[in-house]
């Protein structure tokens, strides 16, 4: 590993050379390469995560460009996962990057995430997040939820059987919201940055913040301390 | 009875503060708390069926009964865009 590249980061006392070396050995899987996933992938590869898989079946659409990172207008119509693989490799050739141009399903999710140290949420659907949540609990793999809507973002790291899971906080949420989800262009980058911080802390064994709610328009930042629900159908005692 | 409710996210802006008092009846549920909140702050109406509600730091169903001294929080619904 070329430590010079990370010199300014290693100077951060909470992080240090030990943090850098730890990240270089970690394997993360980002599910979804859109607004959140492209921004988090960009940050993770620069910070020095050793292995990054990005899974997304979609192609880049002109309507993605206002909130994504690394994509250009020339990429419209191309695979998000494969373009991200190419760009991330160019940013940091030391990292092992794999763009996987496939749709995540209940049947195949295990094969993609079973070796992950953490799963990073870059999806745009509630049902996919429930799928990630289930596999996380089943295989004891932590994951970091993030979502955006209009000017509001939420982030929560899930440590299986230790912290509340996604089901614990989302029982009233319908599986899908009709119509297109409105998103301010600056929001996913902001929320993905916070999601990356929580992910890095998780990888370094530091305590997580809880459910973070950030409205970037009003500059209203909250951290909610929620307990696990013992009756949760996913993480509760059966 | 008067209960104190902690509010998060944009509900703090609606209320202009981070905790509010609501008047509900004995035996009322969290649904009644949500209804009382929306009545005072109609801007939250669109979230009415999806709000994140906790009772004593735990996510709770709208059917849960509220007792005197419970710590109730109301937050905007979990967001799902990416
Ligand atoms: Zn749970």
């Amino acid at each position: 590993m070329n430590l010079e590249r990370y010199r300014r980061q290693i100077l951060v006392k909470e992080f240090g050379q030990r943090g850098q070396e730890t990240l270089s050995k970690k394997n993360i899987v980002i599910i979804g390469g859109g607004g959140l996933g492209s921004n988090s992938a960009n940050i993770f590869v620069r910070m020095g995560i050793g292995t990054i898989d990005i899974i997304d079946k979609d192609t880049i659409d002109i309507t993605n460009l206002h909130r994504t990172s690394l994509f250009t207008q020339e990429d419209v119509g191309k695979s998000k996962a494969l373009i991200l693989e190419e760009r991330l490799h160019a940013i940091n050739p030391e990292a092992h990057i794999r763009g996987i141009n496939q749709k995540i399903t209940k049947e195949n999710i295990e094969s993609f995430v079973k070796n992950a140290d953490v799963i990073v949420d870059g999806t745009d659907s509630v049902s996919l997040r429930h799928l990630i949540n289930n596999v996380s609990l089943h295989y004891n793999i932590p994951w970091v939820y993030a979502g955006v809507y209009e000017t509001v973002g939420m982030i929560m790291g899930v440590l299986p059987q230790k912290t509340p899971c996604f089901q614990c906080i989302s029982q009233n949420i319908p599986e899908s919201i009709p119509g297109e989800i409105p998103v301010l262009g600056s929001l996913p980058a902001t929320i993905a940055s916070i999601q990356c911080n929580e992910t890095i802390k998780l990888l370094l064994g530091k305590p997580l913040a809880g459910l973070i709610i950030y409205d970037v328009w009003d500059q209203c930042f909250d951290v909610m301390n929620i307990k696990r629900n013992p009756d949760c159908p996913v993480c509760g005692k059966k | 009875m008067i209960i104190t409710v902690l509010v998060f996210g944009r509900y703090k802006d609606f209320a202009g503060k981070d905790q509010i008092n609501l008047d509900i009846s004995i035996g009322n549920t969290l649904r009644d708390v949500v209804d009382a909140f929306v009545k005072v702050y109609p801007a939250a109406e669109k979230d009415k069926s999806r709000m994140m509600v906790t009772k004593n730091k735990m996510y709770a169903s709208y059917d849960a009964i509220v007792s005197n001294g419970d710590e109730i929080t109301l937050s905007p619904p979990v967001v799902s865009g990416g």
Side-chain angles (χ1 to χ4, degrees):
Chain A
M1 180 174 48
N2 172 11
L3 285 178
E4 177 61 13
R5 181 183 187 105
Y6 305 108
R7 187 156 53 98
R8 301 278 293 270
Q9 180 163 265
I10 289 169
L11 286 173
V12 176
K13 65 179 185 311
E14 289 83 355
F15 191 79
Q17 186 166 332
R18 184 177 292 184
Q20 198 63 59
E21 284 164 358
T22 303
L23 290 199
S24 74
K25 297 183 190 100
K26 295 296 181 184
N27 178 347
I28 67 170
V29 174
I30 304 174
I31 299 185
L36 290 167
S38 66
N39 278 293
S40 64
N42 181 33
I43 295 168
F44 284 131
V45 78
R46 290 173 196 275
M47 287 183 79
I49 297 280
T51 303
I52 304 174
D53 285 358
I54 304 143
I55 309 167
D56 199 317
K57 176 70 183 144
D58 284 350
T59 54
I60 299 156
D61 187 84
I62 189 81
T63 62
N64 301 143
L65 296 182
H66 82 290
R67 68 184 190 284
T68 47
S69 163
L70 303 175
F71 301 141
T72 70
Q73 190 163 321
E74 283 194 351
D75 297 327
V76 169
K78 297 177 186 165
S79 153
K80 285 180 182 172
L82 298 180
I83 291 291
L84 285 172
E85 177 183 292
E86 180 190 307
R87 303 282 146 80
L88 295 173
H89 181 74
I91 292 165
N92 189 347
E94 279 187 351
H96 302 281
I97 312 290
R98 209 157 51 123
I100 300 166
N101 185 21
Q102 283 196 51
K103 189 177 166 63
I104 288 277
T105 64
K106 200 175 162 196
E107 287 70 36
N108 69 14
I109 188 167
E110 179 207 332
S111 65
F112 292 124
V113 304
K114 62 178 185 238
N115 296 322
D117 292 301
V118 60
I119 306 166
V120 177
D121 176 14
T123 68
D124 58 2
S125 88
V126 173
S127 54
L128 207 41
R129 291 185 176 100
H130 283 303
L131 195 56
I132 297 171
N133 192 54
N134 288 343
V135 83
S136 147
L137 266 295
H138 193 264
Y139 293 98
N140 193 28
I141 304 166
W143 73 288
V144 184
Y145 152 72
V148 292
Y149 184 86
E150 293 181 334
T151 62
V152 179
M154 294 189 186
I155 305 103
M156 187 177 79
V158 176
L159 289 171
Q161 303 299 338
K162 294 198 177 74
T163 67
C165 79
F166 187 66
Q167 181 70 39
C168 286
I169 64 159
S170 63
Q171 288 163 49
N172 292 337
I173 306 302
E175 287 283 300
S176 64
I177 297 170
E180 282 187 307
I181 295 178
V183 183
L184 191 72
S186 57
L187 181 66
T190 310
I191 299 307
S193 293
I194 300 171
Q195 183 188 27
C196 287
N197 291 334
E198 290 299 286
T199 306
I200 300 294
K201 279 161 55 191
L202 191 154
L203 289 172
L204 299 181
K206 309 285 183 200
L208 301 178
L211 174 66
I212 299 168
I213 307 175
Y214 185 19
D215 187 326
V216 298
W217 198 259
D218 299 330
Q219 297 306 334
C220 175
F221 191 98
D222 281 310
V223 181
M224 283 185 75
N225 185 3
I226 302 179
K227 286 194 216 163
R228 282 177 63 201
N229 178 357
D231 299 322
C232 172
V234 178
C235 77
K237 291 196 184 75
K238 303 241 164 57
Chain B
M1 65 181 170
I2 303 290
I3 57 158
T4 300
V5 176
L6 307 176
V7 291
F8 290 91
R10 57 178 60 184
Y11 299 166
K12 277 200 303 203
D13 292 319
F14 296 168
K17 51 195 166 185
D18 57 15
Q19 73 181 59
I20 56 168
N21 293 326
L22 293 173
D23 191 4
I24 62 161
S25 305
I26 288 170
N28 273 6
T29 63
L30 288 173
R31 182 174 286 104
D32 298 308
V33 173
V34 170
D35 287 345
F37 178 71
V38 169
K39 207 165 169 185
V40 182
Y41 306 104
E45 173 76 37
K46 72 181 167 87
D47 298 342
K48 201 171 154 182
S49 63
R50 305 185 294 127
M51 241 175 238
M52 191 164 15
V53 186
T54 71
K55 186 175 116 168
N56 301 328
K57 298 202 188 316
M58 214 177 286
Y59 189 95
S61 136
Y62 276 25
D63 298 323
I65 304 278
V66 179
S67 310
N68 216 346
D70 281 343
E71 185 197 295
I72 309 290
T73 74
L74 297 180
S75 315
V78 163
V79 292
S80 60

